[in-house]
Amino acid sequence: NAGVTQTPKFQVLKTGQSMTLQCAQDMNHEYMSWYRQDPGMGLRLIHYSVGAGITDQGEVPNGYNVSRSTTEDFPLRLLSAAPSQTSVYFCASRLQGYNEQFFGPGTRLTVL
Amino acid sequence: AQSVTQLGSHVSVSEGALVLLRCNYSSSVPPYLFWYVQYPNQGLQLLLKYTSAATLVKGINGFEAEFKKSETSFHLTKPSAHMSDAAEYFCAVSPQSGSRLTFGEGTQLTVNP
C-alpha cells in the first residue's frame, strides 16, 4: 500500500492564481481531511469528508473548496490564492469509527 | 469542545537525558489522546494513543505517556534521549464519538550531543 499520497510536494503561486492540491489514499478509508500547519499554531482542520459525496467545514475553511467524488481522492482547491494561504498542507485519512489518522507527506505552498 | 495545550514550544535535552514533553487537555467528554511525531520535511506519524484502556501507554521508539484524569494531562516521556529523537511532537485530542482531531501547537525537541 502506498498509504496517503499528496502532490505536488512544493508549489509557488502568485496572488490570485488558482490551484488544486491532490490527495489520494489506497486504504479504503471513509474519513479524509485537510489540515494546514503554521509555525506555533499546530495543525488546523480545513475541511473533512466522511465518505464519497459528503464534505464539511473544519475550523479554517475560508478560501478553500473540496469535493469527494470517490473514496480514494480528496482534492483541495484554492480558487484565488492569497499570501495568508502560505503554509504546509497535510492530507490525512482513517477508518470511520477509529481515531488513528494516517498522514500524507505534505505540500509546501508559497503564495507571493 | 476540546482543546490541547502543550507547555513549551521548544525543549532541549542532552543525549541520554530524560525527555519530558507536557500536554494538558480540555474535553467535555472522556477523551481519546494521541502523540504524533514529525521529522523534518515529513508528515506526522503516530507515536502512541490513549483510548480509555490502560492509563500508561507505551509507544514506538521507547516513548510512553501517562493519562492523569485528575490533572487533565497526558505528558510524553522517554528515559534516555537519542539524537534521532530530534523532531516536532504534537499532542492531539478527539472526542470519543466524534471525528475531529484537535492538535496542540507542537513542541520542537532538540537533542544535544
Side-chain angles (χ1 to χ4, degrees):
Chain A
N1 288 351
V4 181
T5 58
Q6 292 183 239
T7 56
K9 288 188 181 299
F10 302 93
Q11 183 70 50
V12 179
L13 293 178
K14 294 181 179 178
T15 296
Q17 287 185 315
S18 63
M19 80 159 295
T20 299
L21 280 64
Q22 301 292 345
C23 173
Q25 52 90 10
D26 61 358
M27 298 173 283
N28 206 30
H29 288 173
E30 301 94 340
Y31 182 88
M32 296 185 73
S33 54
W34 277 102
Y35 295 87
R36 59 176 291 173
Q37 182 183 25
D38 302 291
M41 304 189 76
L43 276 75
R44 292 180 293 168
L45 183 65
I46 305 172
H47 285 285
Y48 66 97
S49 169
V50 298
I54 306 169
T55 63
D56 205 349
Q57 296 181 350
E59 60 179 302
V60 289
N62 292 340
Y64 307 95
N65 282 347
V66 292
S67 60
R68 183 97 180 267
S69 56
T70 67
T71 299
E72 294 78 19
D73 300 298
F74 190 45
L76 179 72
R77 280 182 287 275
L78 285 71
L79 297 179
S80 179
S84 60
Q85 294 178 304
T86 293
S87 187
V88 182
Y89 291 85
F90 288 100
C91 181
S93 73
R94 66 170 175 81
L95 283 169
Q96 195 74 298
Y98 290 80
N99 281 283
E100 180 176 352
Q101 295 207 44
F102 296 83
F103 285 82
T107 294
R108 187 173 295 274
L109 175 67
T110 301
V111 183
L112 303 175
Chain B
Q2 62 273 346
S3 65
V4 167
T5 301
Q6 292 183 238
L7 300 176
S9 58
H10 290 86
V11 170
S12 183
V13 301
S14 298
E15 192 173 18
L18 171 72
V19 175
L20 171 60
L21 304 182
R22 300 178 187 272
C23 172
N24 288 90
Y25 70 91
S26 170
S27 178
S28 56
V29 297
Y32 284 6
L33 292 159
F34 305 81
W35 276 100
Y36 281 85
V37 60
Q38 184 182 29
Y39 298 105
N41 300 314
Q42 294 186 28
L44 278 70
Q45 301 174 33
L46 182 67
L47 263 183
L48 50 79
K49 61 182 177 183
Y50 166 77
T51 56
S52 75
T55 57
L56 182 62
V57 182
K58 294 187 184 298
I60 61 172
N61 301 336
F63 284 92
E64 62 182 36
E66 186 172 8
F67 173 69
K68 291 188 176 180
K69 184 178 179 180
S70 61
E71 300 177 7
T72 61
S73 69
F74 190 57
H75 301 332
L76 182 70
T77 61
K78 181 174 181 178
S80 176
H82 193 273
M83 297 295 290
S84 61
D85 295 326
E88 189 157 21
Y89 293 80
F90 292 93
C91 184
V93 63
S94 177
Q96 294 247 356
S97 59
S99 58
R100 295 191 182 189
L101 203 60
T102 300
F103 286 87
E105 304 87 352
T107 298
Q108 183 69 47
L109 175 67
T110 300
V111 182
N112 302 307

